[in-house]
Amino acid sequence: MDLIRETKFIMNKYNITASKSLGQNFLVDSEVVYGIVDSAEVSKDDLIIEIGPGLGTLTSVLLEKAGKVVCIELDKRMVNIISDRFSLYSNFEVINEDVLKVSLNSIIEKNLKENNLKQAKVVANLPYYITTPIIMKLLEDRLNLSSITVMVQKEVAERLAEKPGGKESGAITYSINYFADSEIVINVPNTSFIPAPEVNSAVIKLTLLKKPRVTVIDEPTLFKVIKIAFMQKRKTLANSLYNGKILEDKEKVEEMLEKLNIDLKIRAEKLTLEQFAQIADYVKNT
Ligand code: SAM
């Protein structure tokens, strides 16, 4: 059965309509499904954390290739369907929770140990209404992950895959660059889903660095500086930092930038990650 027919069959059988508020767009393109699993280089040594398995389309391929698959799904209806569908798989587990609220760290450590697996990876077709918070949680919680391969909106993928200083760069570009190497691995049209979302999508792969790309005294200060720098897109970095009250007055901000040899007229997206790290250390020491 092809994936479109299979998806419609499952939705009919369980009387399911996709929930827009939960970001439910089910993948019905088998080339993309296999493309995601291949890009993630899933093997029997891997623990896979799948966020939002939905009807289980991606899950069924992951179960064949991975050592263990732990799914985290908020919608109880989906949990019932996949529990039914994959009841015969000994390497399947589903947790009925909000991914933003679970302790991923304990899930990963427990499963790596109990199943004697070498590494953990996240593989998912993410709910788009919370793409950025999910990715930032995965990175900022310093989870023991080797890679994150996820489907996101195309324009988000472009910002995630951009290098600092590139024309699509935003606050998240710098945060990602601090933790990982990133690349777009597949472009996906909206016709690959039921129902079709309004936007096109792309699969992005983040390969986590063994240690962050730059060293700073205090990580939260670095993320705060990056966030404030990008809060007012059209302003210069100096104005954004001053308006965001990163230091007490404008003179102090200008003095800092002069000392760090950073042009007073520069905009945030032209900075290097190293320069953000220098600003964060200066602020922390002031
Ligand atoms: N993986 C399936 C596929 O590719 O066909 C479904 C992907 S759909 C884009 C996103 C899934 O995330 C839905 O099943 C939705 O119920 C689930 N979801 C939405 N919010 C969630 C949350 N906060 N925590 C966990 N799962 C969530």
Side-chain angles (χ1 to χ4, degrees):
M1 212 189 308
D2 69 31
L3 268 185
I4 300 182
R5 281 178 55 210
E6 184 177 273
T7 303
K8 287 185 175 161
F9 175 81
I10 297 173
M11 289 175 81
N12 274 335
K13 178 173 169 196
Y14 291 93
N15 200 12
I16 294 290
T17 45
S19 156
K20 208 171 174 181
S21 62
L22 285 178
Q24 290 176 352
N25 300 96
F26 304 116
L27 196 50
V28 289
D29 184 333
S30 57
E31 220 175 283
V32 176
V33 173
Y34 281 94
I36 294 172
V37 178
D38 288 347
S39 306
E41 297 172 90
V42 178
S43 82
K44 285 288 166 193
D45 288 330
D46 291 343
L47 164 66
I48 301 295
I49 306 293
E50 187 191 1
I51 299 163
L55 304 170
T57 307
L58 187 54
T59 323
S60 75
V61 181
L62 290 171
L63 284 168
E64 296 297 336
K65 305 238 168 167
K68 168 105 196 245
V69 180
V70 176
C71 297
I72 299 161
E73 172 60 62
L74 184 56
D75 187 343
K76 183 85 182 118
R77 302 173 306 162
M78 303 295 147
V79 172
N80 291 339
I81 293 171
I82 57 174
S83 302
D84 209 6
R85 199 174 162 188
F86 304 124
S87 61
L88 295 179
Y89 283 84
S90 58
N91 61 343
F92 168 74
E93 185 181 337
V94 59
I95 299 173
N96 186 196
E97 288 273 8
D98 180 341
V99 67
L100 295 177
K101 295 193 180 141
V102 283
S103 166
L104 289 170
N105 190 38
S106 34
I107 294 171
I108 292 170
E109 294 310 327
K110 174 173 169 275
N111 276 285
L112 282 175
K113 203 163 157 209
E114 282 179 5
N115 301 285
N116 208 7
L117 296 169
K118 287 209 178 107
Q119 65 253 321
K121 298 172 178 172
V122 168
V123 179
N125 171 15
L126 290 180
Y128 292 175
Y129 73 105
I130 42 169
T131 306
T132 307
I134 293 177
I135 293 179
M136 289 320 296
K137 176 182 161 114
L138 296 176
L139 295 172
E140 286 177 6
D141 284 5
R142 289 300 190 86
L143 304 172
N144 182 8
L145 290 172
S146 62
S147 65
I148 299 170
T149 306
V150 285
M151 175 98 70
V152 299
Q153 306 93 306
K154 191 171 194 301
E155 57 156 10
V156 175
E158 282 163 359
R159 243 179 296 135
L160 297 175
E162 183 59 285
K163 301 283 168 280
K167 74 175 190 331
E168 300 300 332
S169 42
I172 198 162
T173 310
Y174 288 84
S175 306
I176 298 285
N177 192 252
Y178 177 71
F179 290 112
D181 286 326
S182 59
E183 59 172 328
I184 291 179
V185 287
I186 316 173
N187 280 305
V188 184
N190 66 345
T191 48
S192 294
F193 304 86
I194 292 180
E198 276 156 29
V199 292
N200 287 327
S201 301
V203 178
I204 178 124
K205 181 171 184 182
L206 307 178
T207 306
L208 277 94
L209 303 171
K210 294 261 178 292
K211 61 182 185 55
R213 202 176 299 275
V214 293
T215 309
V216 284
I217 303 169
D218 183 52
E219 240 173 45
T221 307
L222 174 68
F223 294 125
K224 186 175 164 197
V225 168
I226 293 174
K227 199 168 144 207
I228 286 175
F230 281 94
M231 225 125 68
Q232 296 165 299
K233 267 249 149 188
R234 272 174 241 291
K235 298 242 188 257
T236 59
L237 173 74
N239 275 331
S240 298
L241 291 181
Y242 163 62
N243 290 338
K245 307 214 174 343
I246 211 79
L247 290 173
E248 66 207 45
D249 57 43
K250 200 164 182 181
E251 283 69 46
K252 291 246 160 45
V253 170
E254 290 181 353
E255 187 185 313
M256 167 177 77
L257 295 181
E258 271 162 10
K259 278 195 184 146
L260 297 177
N261 245 331
I262 298 173
D263 184 351
L264 291 183
K265 297 224 159 44
I266 203 168
R267 285 177 202 282
E269 67 270 20
K270 291 284 169 240
L271 248 64
T272 63
L273 181 64
E274 288 73 15
Q275 285 172 315
F276 271 116
Q278 286 170 357
I279 295 175
D281 284 353
Y282 187 102
V283 169
K284 188 68 195 166
N285 280 331
T286 302

